[in-house]
């Protein structure tokens, strides 16, 4: 039997009354847990629904191939992020976050930082003091940084200049080059970052979680940041997310 705290990132109905939930936890990454009678049981219904952060107690059974299968024994809710569920736009954004997590295939790996990032993002989305677009950008870029896609943001790859007026980031090479050194600024993989945008990008990639959400930006920079982080996800995941479209049309 295992006990751990985890966040439900997907719910799938299984048969008449059971369901499979996908849970993100520090210790096990993203794993599937089978919930017998989970659709009807009032005991576990709130703590096993999408976006619930709960204490889980699960039984582990190995199959013939040695794979572990998890079965829910009991669970208690810790935070249900109730306000996220009441607002269609916030729900759509949270669905996009959970789709990114399911896609990231972080099964059975240690995910302390990713869980921390996700819980913090949902906490601020639930509280409502932050701009949804900023939370989205922070989550998109930092998630990929924590997954090992963090680019080297120290300075120009050729002349080592740290803060030029304009820096170019190339999605394909993952490198920064200043305007003087940039070999192919017309490349489809190129994006221009001015000093302020570069500062914001570095901040999201590297700042501690206790300060990560403590900044605001104006609409002009939010648009630039949104372009930077959406292209970063698109290039590295090479996948199209329907939940992002749905969030956009609301
Ligand atoms: Zn340079």
């Amino acid at each position: 039997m295992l006990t751990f705290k985890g966040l439900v990132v997907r719910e799938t109905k299984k048969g008449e009354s059971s369901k499979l939930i996908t849970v993100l936890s520090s210790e096990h990454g993203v794993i599937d847990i089978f919930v017998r009678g989970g659709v009807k049981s009032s005991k576990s219904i709130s703590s096993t629904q999408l976006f619930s952060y709960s204490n889980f107690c699960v039984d582990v059974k190995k199959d013939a191939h040695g794979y572990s299968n998890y079965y829910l024994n009991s669970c208690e809710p810790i935070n249900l992020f109730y306000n996220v569920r009441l607002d269609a736009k916030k729900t759509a954004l949270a669905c996009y976050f959970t789709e990114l997590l399911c896609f990231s295939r972080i099964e059975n790996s240690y995910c302390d930082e990713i869980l921390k990032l996700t819980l913090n993002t949902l906490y601020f989305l639930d509280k409502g003091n932050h701009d949804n677009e900023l939370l989205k950008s922070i989550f998109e870029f930092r998630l990929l940084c924590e997954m090992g896609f963090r680019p080297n943001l120290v300075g120009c790859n050729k002349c080592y200049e740290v803060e030029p007026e304009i820096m170019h980031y190339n999605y394909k090479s993952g490198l920064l080059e200043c305007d003087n050194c940039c070999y192919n600024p017309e490349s489809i993989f190129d994006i221009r970052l001015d000093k302020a945008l570069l500062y914001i990008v570095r901040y999201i990639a590297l700042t501690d979680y206790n300060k990560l959400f403590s900044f605001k930006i104006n609409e002009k920079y939010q648009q630039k940041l949104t372009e930077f982080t959406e292209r970063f996800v698109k290039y590295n995941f090479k996948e199209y997310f329907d939940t992002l479209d749905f969030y956009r049309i609301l």
Side-chain angles (χ1 to χ4, degrees):
M1 187 126 68
L2 290 173
T3 58
F4 54 87
K5 294 183 175 74
L7 179 78
V8 181
V9 294
R10 185 166 54 200
E11 269 183 287
T12 317
K13 212 171 165 233
K14 287 277 165 194
E16 269 298 290
S17 63
S18 297
K19 66 179 180 179
L20 196 67
I21 55 171
T22 305
V23 173
L24 168 69
S25 68
S26 277
E27 304 90 331
H28 312 290
V30 169
I31 55 168
D32 289 331
I33 301 172
F34 190 72
V35 186
R36 284 185 204 91
V39 176
K40 286 171 185 158
S41 158
S42 58
K43 232 172 83 187
S44 64
I45 203 153
S46 67
S47 39
T48 59
Q49 65 185 334
L50 188 62
F51 316 137
S52 291
Y53 181 54
S54 308
N55 262 315
F56 290 97
C57 186
V58 302
D59 298 316
V60 190
K61 285 178 192 157
K62 295 246 185 214
D63 69 12
H65 306 284
Y67 290 113
S68 297
N69 291 312
Y70 303 93
Y71 298 87
L72 186 75
N73 185 298
S74 62
C75 58
E76 284 291 327
I78 302 168
N79 190 341
L80 300 178
F81 300 108
Y82 196 61
N83 292 320
V84 172
R85 299 164 201 278
L86 296 177
D87 180 314
K89 187 105 188 162
K90 287 182 179 184
T91 305
L93 187 54
C95 283
Y96 172 56
F97 294 158
T98 52
E99 192 181 12
L100 289 180
L101 288 164
C102 290
F103 182 78
S104 63
R105 303 192 179 96
I106 36 178
E107 297 99 352
N108 300 309
S109 50
Y110 190 72
C111 285
D112 193 35
E113 300 290 305
I114 290 174
L115 180 65
K116 226 185 268 177
L117 169 71
T118 311
L119 291 176
N120 272 291
T121 309
L122 287 178
Y123 172 81
F124 289 114
L125 187 64
D126 187 70
K127 230 175 147 201
N129 299 338
H130 281 64
D131 180 51
N132 291 349
E133 280 293 298
L134 180 59
L135 291 175
K136 171 177 163 291
S137 291
I138 294 174
F139 185 80
E140 284 173 323
F141 188 47
R142 187 62 178 250
L143 172 68
L144 272 79
C145 287
E146 299 298 358
M147 285 176 62
F149 294 104
R150 183 180 278 112
N152 183 349
L153 298 168
V154 176
C156 171
N157 183 50
K158 297 208 170 99
C159 71
Y160 309 112
E161 169 84 48
V162 175
E163 279 192 330
E165 288 303 320
I166 297 292
M167 196 77 106
H168 295 258
Y169 177 72
N170 187 294
Y171 288 101
K172 197 173 182 184
S173 66
L175 297 172
L176 287 175
E177 285 172 342
C178 71
D179 215 21
N180 296 328
C181 299
C182 187
Y183 174 68
N184 185 8
E186 303 308 319
S187 160
I188 53 162
F189 300 112
D190 184 276
I191 185 166
R192 286 162 64 91
L193 310 173
D194 67 15
K195 260 187 192 177
L197 187 58
L198 180 59
Y199 179 84
I200 297 163
V201 166
R202 282 177 174 148
Y203 190 93
I204 297 173
L206 301 165
T207 305
D208 283 347
Y209 283 103
N210 54 0
K211 287 195 210 137
L212 180 60
F213 295 87
S214 62
F215 71 100
K216 286 191 169 123
I217 54 175
N218 63 27
E219 212 184 311
K220 181 184 140 201
Y221 274 98
Q222 183 57 62
Q223 280 177 10
K224 292 179 180 200
L225 182 62
T226 297
E227 188 200 346
F228 175 80
T229 59
E230 280 191 6
R231 286 180 64 188
F232 196 83
V233 171
K234 205 172 160 195
Y235 180 78
N236 287 296
F237 275 3
K238 304 205 168 31
E239 178 73 24
Y240 192 78
F241 297 98
D242 292 340
T243 46
L244 179 58
D245 275 351
F246 186 64
Y247 165 70
R248 285 277 174 245
I249 59 168
L250 282 177

